[in-house]
Each structure stands twice: as C-alpha cells, then as structure tokens.
Amino acid sequence: VMGVSPGNDMRYSDKKVEAARNFANKLWNACRFRQMQGDTSAHFRALPPEIAAELSGDERWMLAKLDAAIDSINTAIAEFRFHSAAHEVYDLVWSCFCDWFIEAEKVPMRAGGGEKERALAVLDYALYRILRLLHPFMPFITEELAHQMGFLSDGETIMFEPFPEDDGFRNADASDDLNHDKWVGIDGKFELVRAGRFLKASYNLPDGKKVKFFVKAVDAEALAFLEAEKASALSLLNAEAIEFTLADYDPAAHGAAPSQVCSLGTVYLPLADLIDIAAEKAKLEKQKKELAGWIAGTKARLGNEKFLAKAPANVVAEAKAQLASMEEKLARTDELLESLK
C-alpha cells in the first residue's frame, strides 16, 4: 500500500518485502519492550485528567504527533489516498514512537514510582492507538499484538474497536505561558541529540563511549528548557556530562572541538582525551589529498568531449554522481580539519 499511488502498478521487489518485514519487527520489539516493564496500564483506552495534567514534555510531544498523524491519516483515507495514510503511520511508528519516544521514556521508567506509572500509562495509550491506526494496513500482526499486550480479551477483536480520532493534545500547553508549546521544543532537543551523535560518529567514537558535550544555547529561554531536559539529553546521548550555557566555547580551556549548529544552540564535542589530535589531523590531510586527486581526475574525464560523446549516458551520470559525492566528502573533511585547529 505504501509504495503505490492510485492508478499505478508496482513491480515486485524483495527490498520492499524486507523493509516491511523490518517494520513489523520494529513494531513487535516495541511491544515486547513494553511487556518487559510490567503489567498493562488500566488507562490504555483514555488517560485520566490527573495523568494528562502531569505529562512530561516528551509525552506531550508524542501525543501531539499522534493527534497530528491521526488527523492526516483520516483525511487521506477519506480521500482514498491510502498510500499517503500508510506513509504517515509508518513514519509515526518508526521515527517518532520507536526511535525517540520509547528511548526518552526510559528516563522516567528508571525513576520508578509515580513517574514510571505515568510513563507506562502513556506508552500503553499511545501504543493502542497506533495498533488501531495500523490495523487496516497490517491486520494480522496488530490483532496478535493487541491481545498479547492485554488490550483485548480472548472474545474481542481489534476489527470492532473505534478508529482513532484527534484527542486534542496539540493545544495542551496553550494556557501556560512558561511552557507554551513546550512539546514543540522537544523537536529541538531531538535535533540536538542527532547533532551530538553525528559528532561522535564523525570521529568513529563508539556509541557506548561516554563523552562530554558543551552546548551554547541560543538564548535564556532555550537554556532554561535544555536544563529542564538535561536528564533526557544525557540518556539519549549516552553522555558522561553536558554543560548548557550562554557563554562562547573556549578552546583554550576545553581544547579543540567540532561543532554542529541546532535550533536551540550550538553543540560542541571537546576532543581532549578522546582522540590523538595530531594523528587525526594527519589522517584527514591524507584523505583530503586523495579526494582532491580523485576530484581533479573526474573533472578532467567529464571535461573530455570524446568521453562524453562515446560513453553511455548511465556511465556519464554515474561519474557526475561520484564527483558530487567526492566534493561533499572534501567539504566535510575541510570542516573536520578546521574544527581541530
């Protein structure tokens, strides 16, 4: 359903089957993770006011994303754009729910007590809505998981459950000036986490390596928000420490540090004690020289009229794509070298 717009045919593809298999595994594993945390909450059909009033920023963000997706999916189905509806629910489950929300909820779950109870209730509420959204597209696995999770008894079926509608969580913070649209700021936190992970990957630092980050917030409001979300950011980045500040990064005090600019601030990764900076510079200089040579050779090849006249179109297109890729790598190498000064 996801790969085809109305009126078009689709070729069979093993890769599409594998992608669908991977998605089913992702959904199954999310449910298995939830089952490992304890019994199903009694509030999986509707969150009571006392829980809704205490939602964390991550929880408001997830429920707002869920409401937005539900509106979009219902509209797409009503207009017979089933491929659009399938894309919407796929992105919601894979990215928002599995990649971000479940990871973020591990912080309150580790805290225990009322925080864990609230986190599990929100997880169950979101997950049951997701299973009902997915049911028209994946009827068998959603039926199975709804029973395994305890959302349905043996004599019930998800086919007779109401299809989800917007529950109004997108405007939950409108009356609170201090936290107005706080759930929107969560996107900025996740952007910051992606930037920090990218910096670690740029220097081949393993995911499990504990590192320190320095973040210069764009303003005082962003700083206050980030401080409030510090436990979550530490967990998502698997960081040893994060310093949030309005001050500029001082290389003299902290050493060389590559950086990434985000909407909430600039993320720095101090490299002292993490890598051999001299050896890293030498490696990057060698890589830069090799890339420059490849780029020069490819440009000369593409500038040869005889080559362009005789070479098949796909060969020329491939050469142009390789040139663009190498130029992008060269630009990134220059950035990494600049960050080590």
Side-chain angles (χ1 to χ4, degrees), residues 30-103:
C31 290
R32 185 172 61 179
F33 168 79
R34 169 59 189 92
Q35 287 176 302
M36 292 169 61
Q37 311 312 310
D39 294 336
T40 299
S41 168
H43 309 300
F44 67 87
R45 290 185 183 275
L47 293 177
E50 60 271 20
I51 291 181
E54 298 297 326
L55 295 177
S56 69
D58 292 315
E59 289 158 356
R60 282 192 287 268
W61 173 87
M62 183 66 236
L63 297 183
K65 291 285 187 183
L66 187 50
D67 274 350
I70 286 170
D71 279 349
S72 180
I73 290 164
N74 275 304
T75 299
I77 290 175
E79 296 174 354
F80 302 100
R81 294 184 289 106
F82 304 117
H83 64 298
S84 297
H87 272 289
E88 192 81 34
V89 70
Y90 180 97
D91 290 341
L92 174 77
V93 174
W94 191 288
S95 181
C96 297
F97 187 73
C98 293
D99 285 354
W100 289 115
F101 183 58
I102 288 179
E103 291 304 311

Side-chain angles (χ1 to χ4, degrees), residues 110-170:
R110 284 195 293 266
E115 285 193 55
K116 180 178 180 179
E117 184 179 342
R118 187 199 69 239
L120 295 181
V122 177
L123 265 173
D124 288 343
Y125 173 73
L127 185 53
Y128 189 44
R129 287 165 72 75
I130 283 171
L131 291 178
R132 285 182 285 151
L133 278 177
L134 270 171
H135 181 65
F137 307 101
M138 304 177 73
F140 302 108
I141 192 172
T142 50
E143 183 78 57
E144 177 69 18
L145 289 174
H147 282 89
Q148 284 199 19
M149 290 297 301
F151 298 148
L152 300 173
S153 63
D154 288 343
E156 296 177 313
T157 173
I158 197 171
M159 288 187 289
F160 296 155
E161 293 295 296
F163 200 68
E165 295 182 355
D166 189 330
D167 262 2
F169 282 101
R170 278 177 289 178

